[in-house]
Amino acid sequence: MTTGAADILVAGEGRVDLLDPAAAATGSAGALARTPLQLFWRRLRSDRLALIALGFVVLLVLVAVAAPLVVQIAGVPGPNVLDPNATNAFGAPLGPSAGHPFGVDQLGRDVFARVVYGARASLEVGLLGTALATLIGTVVGLLAGFHGGWVDTLLSRTIDVVLCFPVLLLGLGLGAACDVHGCAAGAIQPGVPTIIAIVALVNWTYIARIVRGQVLALRERDFVLAARSLGASNTRILTREILPNLLAPVIVYSSLLIPQNILLEAALSFLGVGVRPPTASWGQMLADATPIFTTAWWYMVFPGLALLFTVLAFNLLGDGLQDALNPRGQVTHT
Amino acid sequence: MLHKGARRRTAALSITALLALGLAACGSGGESSVHQKAGESPLGQKLYGKHRGGTLIVYDHEDFEHLDPGEAYGAEDYTVLYAVTRPLYSYPPNSATTLKPDVAAAPPIISNGGRTLTVHIRPHIYFSPPVNREVNSGDVAYAIDRGANPNVANPYFGSYFGDLVGAEAAKGGPIPGIETPNKYTIVFHLTKPSATLFYGALSLPLSSPVPPEFVKPLDAHSPTTYGTEYLVATGPYMLKSNSQGKFLGIGYQPGKSLTLVRNPNWNPHTDYRPAYLNQIDVNVGGESSVIGQQVLKSTDAVQNDSPAPSIVQQAYQHYPRQITFTPGSGTYYASLDNARGPFTNIDLRKAVWAELDRDAIVKARGGSLAAQPMTHFLYPGVAGFQAAGGAAGLRVDYNEHPEGDPTVAAKYMKLAGYPSGKYTGSKTLQVVGSNGEPEQAMAQVVNQALQNLGFKTHLSLLEQSAMYDKYCTVPAQEIDVCPNVGWARDFADPQTVLYLPFDGHAITPSGNSNYGQVNDPAINAAMEKATLTVGEPARADAWAKIDDMLVQDAVAAPEVYASDAQIEGSDVEGVDQLWNSGAWDYDFTSLK
């Protein structure tokens, strides 16, 4: 049986139809039964801001995936094309114009195209890094919460240690030590896969703690005890009873992790240990734009705005999801 | 010589006048330095009769590398060393061709068919505290002897001092070919008639006197602590030190600051330097564009290295009296690994040469005031430049279009065995550049050219010193392309521009200046012959022909001839060293 968010549930086995509060309020006869998913969607839909955010995120993903097409439609050159006519006699970049709506950078490369392609790096790290962190965190949290005892102690202390890791220093260190020829026989090198690994390495702990807390609470619930008394194995309980109830908090927290990880990628690229040039990355563009900001404002403003709106959209979406999944405001924190 | 970020040049002349003169000189004779014709008084640079006193503030984006005169080879380090130590001969700021006797009393007496040089030293030159005593010929002998000491490892020892009798076997002990018959005379015996070149080499910091009783114990450390902790001065200034002569932590804090104070034992009667300033405070580090702003708005500050391109425009447009450009500051090029990998193929090298957009690199350095497209390996102001083709260089098809020529590039790709015009091999090129402001833009232009030709590249942008010391000067690292290397003369002779970067015998396992490991037997043979050529016109011709060979062999991908820019505050009367890429000369600079 699939259940929705833990606190929408009334009791264990069997589909439960919840009365539609709106219909109940109007007093119409025969309350309309809706699945938890439909209810979730209704609540989300009524949240204007979250919808706009969702729309932006979907648009961003499409733009990132179809970057070459977008650039072509916009009629600008590619992200790595050097345009000698777009810099003045001193080599200083020229601002927004018909041919370059967002201006160009110091090498005459179109900023609009680079912002569009930069979305790829941000989304790759944001989404894949978060997914990886979520996977690791969920597994660890499940094990720690469910088994308790020495397993829990060991894993919890591990979480504590990893939480102390200085991420940026780790990134800087890897960037300095593993550039050119890489480390571990070339396996570790500055670039998107390494950033995803760093991001996952550092963020799984948040999910793990949340999941552990949830599991600790859930394993004492009646439906779990009932399943156990019917002879269900641990595996069955974990996968059929507990895991489905984790869905909501995991979704909420991982969606809130995404913007953090996007910012982390930008920070690492800013420090020079992110994506390799000439690949576009918003963080790297911000770093390159800093010394010439007084003479070339567009180079900082447009990637900065892109980063700002993306992070804002994911944050608002995360909030909206949280509200939609926990309508009574019972936010499950550890 | 390494002219890394440091650019320097002329002061006092207005920009337009400077450009007019510079361009005229470049276009016409150009054999002597661009700023003066032989025999004329220095253009615009007043050297004497200035105001004494004051403290000059210096901002330096790059840190110093070697403060030991026995080890230094870069323009940056020379700015300090030529204020603190005095070689036997030196160039005054307004000449890049004519040496003045410095510690020496007169030009050397050359005898024995060019195999012997006799130099007389001036009396009454004294070392700074704590040594205090008079300089004698034994101090010059020891200075050169220690160049062969592995704890010092002077990078020029082999190329310029290797002809001394007994130099081959020397390891820091007395070299048989250096004789000191009395305390003011030193005689050099050479195995070959290369006295002309040797005389020029005596202008390098290696010939500045070093007191053996003080320095020998330091040279026993590996590496030596002379230059890292202790330094004894003979010049008008010294590094601020304690009573034992230790400057580390006092006069120099690596990565932070360096302070020069007057040398109390300097005897102005023995020196042509006026030394107006009382003190020079160098601040190391900081963002190049921020430093530039600080300097332009200041009254008493200068920037030691080249300003960022964005500053060049701002200074030229708003502070024209505070910026100078020095044509003929040196070259920038991308080295290609001639020894292994795809670039052992000459046609691939020619394809890169043709494809590279040199005009874009000119722009990356701040436009045509700051740089011009490079067409061959001798540069304006060096003897032989005109004979080797001048500004246009050798007229071969891959050299014709500085804006990049994809058609010619495709032709050479096909000749190299890639009929599609794009590289289809499996090798990913290791490209290691610098993360400095114009440097990383230049590196990306080169990287783009490589990718246009179909190469897959792995571009790393590092701190400049790491780029050189760890990767580009170490053949074992197997770096295919170093897009941010460059060269400037060590002294006036054209050999100093072509030998170390392109002769196969000059390749060393570390500190290697032949970045591309060029090792063509015909070129090597021509160079051996040219090193022994006597007389300036004959040498200019010989080395011009070698320059042609280097172009025909496409040994590297040229980028730009630098006209280093230099900025100063409004009350600074900066004087810059024509011979040293225009760096500010602290011995001649003054405050209003």
Side-chain angles (χ1 to χ4, degrees), chain A residues 121-139 192-208 210-211 249-265 310-311 314-315 318 321:
Chain A
S122 298
L123 287 178
E124 270 170 25
V125 174
L127 296 175
L128 288 178
T130 305
L132 198 56
T134 304
L135 184 66
I136 301 172
T138 307
V139 168
V192 170
T194 307
I195 305 186
I196 291 176
I198 295 177
V199 156
L201 198 73
V202 156
N203 282 322
W204 66 264
T205 51
Y206 294 104
I207 303 287
I210 288 155
V211 166
V250 165
I251 288 175
V252 170
Y253 277 94
S254 55
S255 69
L256 290 173
L257 262 187
I258 294 173
Q260 270 188 50
N261 291 335
I262 290 177
L263 281 176
L264 193 55
E265 182 274 324
T310 302
V311 168
F314 274 106
N315 269 319
L321 283 176

Side-chain angles (χ1 to χ4, degrees), chain B residues 90-257:
Chain B
S90 54
Y91 295 102
N94 55 0
S95 173
T97 49
T98 312
L99 284 170
K100 275 177 99 87
D102 199 333
V103 166
I109 302 162
I110 296 177
S111 56
N112 197 5
R115 286 185 168 78
T116 305
L117 293 98
T118 306
V119 178
H120 294 294
I121 293 176
R122 290 178 208 268
H124 306 307
I125 298 178
Y126 299 94
F127 285 114
S128 62
V131 178
N132 294 314
R133 64 162 175 82
E134 195 190 26
V135 167
N136 61 47
S137 56
D139 302 318
V140 177
Y142 182 66
I144 298 176
D145 289 342
R146 64 188 291 269
N149 184 333
N151 295 340
V152 175
N154 183 288
Y156 294 127
F157 191 83
S159 7
Y160 301 133
F161 298 91
D163 285 348
L164 280 168
V165 171
E168 292 247 3
K171 284 268 180 304
I175 295 173
I178 305 180
E179 209 195 304
T180 52
N182 63 54
K183 68 173 178 163
Y184 297 120
T185 306
I186 184 163
V187 184
F188 301 100
H189 299 282
L190 305 173
T191 55
K192 297 180 195 154
S194 51
T196 323
L197 190 76
F198 193 83
Y199 172 25
L202 293 175
S203 68
L204 292 171
L206 185 66
S207 76
S208 41
V210 173
E213 74 276 14
F214 186 86
V215 180
K216 257 208 191 119
L218 306 174
D219 287 344
H221 299 272
S222 171
T224 178
T225 51
Y226 190 63
T228 52
E229 292 182 36
Y230 297 87
L231 191 62
V232 181
T234 40
Y237 299 97
M238 57 184 282
L239 285 163
K240 195 167 178 192
S241 317
N242 65 14
S243 52
Q244 278 87 53
K246 182 168 184 173
F247 66 81
L248 184 66
I250 307 162
Y252 178 48
Q253 299 183 49
K256 284 170 81 179
S257 67

Side-chain angles (χ1 to χ4, degrees), chain A residues 80-97:
Chain A
N80 294 334
V81 172
L82 311 174
D83 182 358
N85 298 322
T87 50
N88 72 7
F90 291 92
L94 299 174
S97 65

